[in-house]
Amino acid sequence: MEKKIIVVGGGIVGLSTAMQILDRFPEARVTVLEKEETVAGHQTGHNSGVIHAGVYYAPGSLKAKFCREGAQSTYDFCRLHNLPTDQCGKLIVATDGIGLQRLDALFDRCIKNSLSPLRLDEEALRQREPNIVGKGAIYVASSGIADYPAMAKKMASIIASKGGIVTTCAAVTDVREEIGTVSIETAKGDFHADYAIFCAGLHADRLARKCGIELDFRIVPFRGEYYRLPAKHNDIVKHLIYPVPDPALPFLGVHLTRMIGGYVTVGPNAVLALAREGYDWSKISAMDLAEMAMFEGFWRVIGSNWRSAIREFGNSIFRRRYLAECQRYCPNLHIDDLRPYPAGVRAQAVLKDGTLVHDFLIRKTGRTLHVCNAPSPAATAALPIGRYLVDQFAEQSQLSQA
């Protein structure tokens, strides 16, 4: 039986889901609704491009499972469609004794997550990366880089080739779930379907609420600011270079990333964005700020992380402080090496008690399925996330595979 299905969100997770619905249910009529003029306009198009191996994530979590599967799926997809990747590997570098102790825990987590880490001492690190200093490191071979916007555009093309429709400039303004149908009002008119899957990123909570889901979380936007190194530093590193993360802090810290374009970026930091799409300090939304201010979980997360917030704010305002983070493991960098580069905004779900939701968060109603939290490594994991959502949708709609 032919079913009409709408996927809201033209990022890589939404497009992966729509593509795989058509793979498994060729008779389905699938429409993707994207509010911007092109696909991959937000998190997909503003991330570091890293293919994550799954080092940091709790063993047994969806994050760990999807990331490990997603890394291989990403390489396979890109090879199949002649898209660029570089499996350059990752080095997690300890610059002091505390970092070395934390490396032990990361090494154990790599093993539990079915990775094959290699422990390096100071001399082995120097041989691999002459421009990097540290007391030791972990090498993870399966990490690499990809062009996620190119992947998203290829997925959109595949969707169209299979009879699906990708509609841009279609911001959702309202959703009504009725007997036998879901009605979605957009800037391009009304759309009706049997089921809808929402992969709305920065606006995930708002659309879930429109579907009657009682929220115990809100999306809080954090901006990650990057710099690009000049061309003379294109070969400053051979691998992705990450610091050992502080387990007391919510994000991974400033790292050096080889990019598909052949250059190297530094970043990101993590500062509170003043708008859900606040890619710089000039973008301020009174509505977004008011929503955050009225949510008790926001004040709790700020209260728990205020020291980190002050440090990240300082790094945002003062380049020399940002540089100091980089020079801990790459002392050859200088202030003039930090060139402007576009920032990204991370959609982070926060619970009422101030806890950051680190795993994927899926909610559903009778005819809708919502990805309420898809933090990094969502781009890496987009293909297995899509498979999981199609499984959930098939169970919910009681469709059988064609």
Side-chain angles (χ1 to χ4, degrees):
M1 180 179 178
E2 184 179 83
K3 295 287 185 181
K4 293 182 180 179
I5 304 154
I6 289 175
V7 177
V8 175
I12 195 168
V13 173
L15 293 168
S16 167
T17 303
M19 179 182 70
Q20 293 183 84
I21 289 173
L22 287 165
D23 285 343
R24 288 178 53 182
F25 307 110
E27 79 287 357
R29 295 173 60 186
V30 176
T31 299
V32 178
L33 300 178
E34 166 54 43
K35 76 184 188 69
E36 303 298 346
E37 295 181 357
T38 61
V39 298
H42 289 290
Q43 292 182 108
T44 302
H46 290 81
N47 66 49
S48 64
V50 172
I51 300 173
H52 293 278
V55 172
Y56 308 101
Y57 315 125
S61 66
L62 288 178
K63 252 191 179 185
K65 178 178 184 294
F66 289 163
C67 188
R68 185 175 61 253
E69 295 173 359
Q72 188 59 54
S73 295
T74 298
Y75 289 123
D76 292 343
F77 183 89
C78 290
R79 279 193 291 267
L80 179 63
H81 298 288
N82 296 314
L83 299 175
T85 59
D86 180 3
Q87 190 174 336
C88 54
K90 172 192 289 186
L91 287 170
I92 305 171
V93 178
T95 57
D96 54 27
I98 294 176
L100 283 175
Q101 294 175 16
R102 290 172 179 164
L103 274 185
D104 293 335
L106 283 177
F107 190 88
D108 290 342
R109 180 156 285 191
C110 286
I111 298 297
K112 291 176 181 177
N113 284 335
S114 301
L115 305 176
S116 300
L118 179 64
R119 188 68 182 262
L120 306 178
D121 61 17
E122 188 169 356
E123 179 58 29
L125 172 61
R126 185 181 302 110
Q127 289 178 2
R128 279 183 176 266
E129 290 287 3
N131 294 310
I132 298 299
V133 299
K135 302 292 186 181
I138 293 174
Y139 171 62
V140 182
S142 53
S143 294
I145 51 176
D147 186 339
Y148 289 120
M151 286 182 64
K153 291 174 183 175
K154 172 54 69 173
M155 290 176 182
S157 174
I158 293 170
I159 290 166
S161 73
K162 292 179 179 293
I165 298 171
V166 178
T167 302
T168 57
C169 301
V172 174
T173 56
D174 199 10
V175 183
R176 297 188 309 277
E177 185 174 348
E178 301 163 338
I179 297 176
T181 188
V182 179
S183 299
I184 300 179
E185 296 179 8
T186 80
K188 275 198 169 176
D190 295 352
F191 293 79
H192 306 277
D194 297 290
Y195 296 90
I197 302 173
F198 291 80
C199 305
L202 289 158
H203 303 280
D205 55 341
R206 289 171 174 167
L207 293 183
R209 187 166 53 237
K210 286 181 181 295
C211 292
I213 294 176
E214 185 174 346
L215 301 183
D216 57 353
F217 71 95
R218 293 290 188 278
I219 295 297
V220 175
F222 289 92
R223 184 169 63 252
E225 297 166 330
Y226 295 84
Y227 290 99
R228 175 174 172 170
L229 300 184
K232 66 180 181 180
H233 287 318
N234 283 357
D235 297 316
I236 194 169
V237 291
K238 302 179 184 70
H239 308 81
L240 307 172
I241 308 297
Y242 279 63
V244 177
D246 184 341
L249 302 178
F251 302 116
L252 294 179
V254 171
H255 44 270
L256 290 172
T257 304
R258 295 176 55 83
M259 302 294 285
I260 283 295
Y263 55 92
V264 176
T265 62
V266 175
N269 62 351
V271 294
L272 181 70
L274 303 182
R276 295 209 182 191
E277 297 170 12
Y279 293 103
D280 58 56
W281 287 112
S282 67
K283 185 65 181 294
I284 301 172
S285 167
M287 182 181 74
D288 293 348
L289 289 173
E291 281 192 9
M292 283 191 285
M294 291 187 292
F295 177 53
E296 61 185 295
F298 168 74
W299 296 108
R300 291 179 183 273
V301 76
I302 293 298
S304 300
N305 296 279
W306 64 270
R307 290 183 179 85
S308 172
I310 291 173
R311 188 183 75 181
E312 295 293 297
F313 178 77
N315 291 345
S316 175
I317 299 299
F318 303 107
R319 274 198 310 159
R320 289 195 180 277
R321 289 186 56 172
Y322 202 112
L323 177 66
E325 295 285 331
C326 309
Q327 288 179 326
R328 291 170 52 205
Y329 53 83
C330 191
N332 293 337
L333 295 179
H334 299 92
I335 193 68
D336 292 338
D337 293 327
L338 301 186
R339 309 288 177 83
Y341 193 76
V345 178
R346 172 176 177 162
Q348 176 62 60
V350 178
L351 300 178
K352 287 183 178 181
D353 65 0
T355 301
L356 300 183
V357 181
H358 292 297
D359 209 355
F360 297 105
L361 181 63
I362 312 295
R363 298 285 172 82
K364 62 178 67 176
T365 67
R367 291 186 173 271
T368 68
L369 188 64
H370 297 259
V371 181
C372 294
N373 193 57
S376 178
T380 300
L383 287 163
I385 294 172
R387 285 195 291 271
Y388 177 82
L389 292 175
V390 175
D391 289 342
Q392 293 289 305
F393 160 73
E395 180 182 336
Q396 183 177 13
S397 61
Q398 297 182 333
L399 283 178
S400 61
Q401 189 168 338

